[in-house]
Amino acid sequence: MKMKNKINRDYQALEDDFTSTFIHELMPGILHNFANPLNTIMGRSKLLQRRLDNAVNKMRDAYPEAAAMNDEWDRIKNDVLSINKESESFLELFRDVSGKFYALTCNEKDRINLSQLLAAEMRFMNFYLEFKHHIKKETNLDKESPDLKGNKNELSLVFWRLIRFVMTRALESEYKEFFLETRHDQRNIIILVKYSGKAMPGETVKYLNQYPRNWDVKPPTVKMEKGVLHAIAVLKTYSALVQFSTEEHLNIMSVTIPVNK
């Protein structure tokens, strides 16, 4: 038993060592190595489609009597078109993944459009298959939202964690609803999330809405994932106001962030 426990500890240490290099060292290389063949496939498939169209048109002009082959040519052209469409879909998925990991490696402060960042996070969340297939989603993102100065890696992780928190609660509900909206006024960017699911206890909502200074100290009656608390703590560094409430059968999470002048 002692030997087995030691092996488990050694394995866990090796796993932690591997994952510690994953985002900043390994993933950029993986994405780079995928990008080159993907770009070649995209270019060649489009070139193939153009060449096939030209060849079929020349064949039909030169040999009108070969009209019996039209259906076969059309099927081949449709197959090539399908390959092109699937290649473009794969490219979009690749961009969603690479965009997420690129954001996680951005340590410097920059101008960030939160509506664009949240749109990217929503696309990335579709890699959680239950989120993609089982939750009814509706988004209304403010295209005119001003930029915010901040760290992209921080905000990417913050909103990934908050959306995942909402996702788990919505999945446990009967209706499985999720609404995301962004808007702004002269002073603030407002992010509003409404979701179905069991309402949090009143003492938990009160605790979260009070913005306590020390996030390591929690009342024993409050049950909340540490990741959510860390996300809210990071938002505090942006002078954000995070509020939880309920409205009819939906829970509401609002994030109000002052716009940097």
mmCIF file of all heavy atoms in Angstrom, residues 54 84 89 114 121 139 177 197 212 251:
data_model
loop_
_atom_site.group_PDB
_atom_site.id
_atom_site.type_symbol
_atom_site.label_atom_id
_atom_site.label_comp_id
_atom_site.label_asym_id
_atom_site.label_seq_id
_atom_site.Cartn_x
_atom_site.Cartn_y
_atom_site.Cartn_z
ATOM 1 N N ASN A 54 -12.781 24.951 -63.896
ATOM 2 C CA ASN A 54 -12.277 25.283 -65.228
ATOM 3 C C ASN A 54 -12.222 24.052 -66.133
ATOM 4 O O ASN A 54 -12.603 24.111 -67.311
ATOM 5 C CB ASN A 54 -10.879 25.909 -65.134
ATOM 6 C CG ASN A 54 -10.909 27.281 -64.494
ATOM 7 O OD1 ASN A 54 -11.931 27.974 -64.546
ATOM 8 N ND2 ASN A 54 -9.804 27.695 -63.895
ATOM 9 N N ASN A 84 -14.040 21.998 -48.978
ATOM 10 C CA ASN A 84 -13.699 23.392 -48.706
ATOM 11 C C ASN A 84 -14.467 23.930 -47.502
ATOM 12 O O ASN A 84 -13.904 24.620 -46.636
ATOM 13 C CB ASN A 84 -14.001 24.262 -49.929
ATOM 14 C CG ASN A 84 -12.828 24.320 -50.891
ATOM 15 O OD1 ASN A 84 -11.682 24.267 -50.481
ATOM 16 N ND2 ASN A 84 -13.112 24.405 -52.166
ATOM 17 N N SER A 89 -14.562 25.394 -41.689
ATOM 18 C CA SER A 89 -15.090 25.174 -40.340
ATOM 19 C C SER A 89 -13.973 24.759 -39.383
ATOM 20 O O SER A 89 -13.900 25.230 -38.240
ATOM 21 C CB SER A 89 -16.181 24.101 -40.356
ATOM 22 O OG SER A 89 -17.283 24.509 -41.129
ATOM 23 N N LEU A 114 -14.130 44.170 -24.429
ATOM 24 C CA LEU A 114 -14.730 43.077 -23.672
ATOM 25 C C LEU A 114 -15.798 42.342 -24.467
ATOM 26 O O LEU A 114 -15.994 41.131 -24.285
ATOM 27 C CB LEU A 114 -15.310 43.605 -22.362
ATOM 28 C CG LEU A 114 -14.288 44.009 -21.296
ATOM 29 C CD1 LEU A 114 -14.990 44.465 -20.028
ATOM 30 C CD2 LEU A 114 -13.344 42.853 -20.982
ATOM 31 N N GLU A 121 -14.724 33.935 -25.913
ATOM 32 C CA GLU A 121 -14.915 32.986 -24.820
ATOM 33 C C GLU A 121 -16.125 32.087 -25.075
ATOM 34 O O GLU A 121 -16.096 30.889 -24.777
ATOM 35 C CB GLU A 121 -15.087 33.725 -23.497
ATOM 36 C CG GLU A 121 -13.829 34.414 -22.994
ATOM 37 C CD GLU A 121 -12.679 33.453 -22.778
ATOM 38 O OE1 GLU A 121 -12.907 32.316 -22.313
ATOM 39 O OE2 GLU A 121 -11.533 33.833 -23.097
ATOM 40 N N THR A 139 -27.134 35.617 -27.047
ATOM 41 C CA THR A 139 -26.165 36.672 -26.772
ATOM 42 C C THR A 139 -26.576 37.961 -27.466
ATOM 43 O O THR A 139 -27.144 37.939 -28.562
ATOM 44 C CB THR A 139 -24.743 36.284 -27.240
ATOM 45 O OG1 THR A 139 -24.767 36.020 -28.643
ATOM 46 C CG2 THR A 139 -24.256 35.044 -26.506
ATOM 47 N N GLU A 177 -31.078 27.504 -19.557
ATOM 48 C CA GLU A 177 -31.061 28.753 -20.314
ATOM 49 C C GLU A 177 -29.839 29.597 -19.948
ATOM 50 O O GLU A 177 -29.400 29.607 -18.793
ATOM 51 C CB GLU A 177 -32.335 29.555 -20.058
ATOM 52 C CG GLU A 177 -33.589 28.871 -20.577
ATOM 53 C CD GLU A 177 -34.852 29.635 -20.206
ATOM 54 O OE1 GLU A 177 -34.979 30.022 -19.024
ATOM 55 O OE2 GLU A 177 -35.701 29.847 -21.094
ATOM 56 N N GLY A 197 -31.411 27.838 -13.132
ATOM 57 C CA GLY A 197 -30.746 27.027 -12.121
ATOM 58 C C GLY A 197 -31.195 27.403 -10.727
ATOM 59 O O GLY A 197 -31.868 28.417 -10.515
ATOM 60 N N PRO A 212 -15.799 41.357 0.162
ATOM 61 C CA PRO A 212 -14.905 41.311 1.328
ATOM 62 C C PRO A 212 -13.448 41.494 0.911
ATOM 63 O O PRO A 212 -13.057 41.139 -0.187
ATOM 64 C CB PRO A 212 -15.144 39.901 1.881
ATOM 65 C CG PRO A 212 -15.661 39.123 0.723
ATOM 66 C CD PRO A 212 -16.443 40.076 -0.102
ATOM 67 N N ASN A 251 -31.424 33.433 -12.575
ATOM 68 C CA ASN A 251 -30.390 34.061 -11.760
ATOM 69 C C ASN A 251 -29.701 35.129 -12.602
ATOM 70 O O ASN A 251 -29.616 35.016 -13.830
ATOM 71 C CB ASN A 251 -29.375 33.019 -11.309
ATOM 72 C CG ASN A 251 -30.008 31.897 -10.525
ATOM 73 O OD1 ASN A 251 -30.488 32.101 -9.417
ATOM 74 N ND2 ASN A 251 -30.034 30.703 -11.095
#
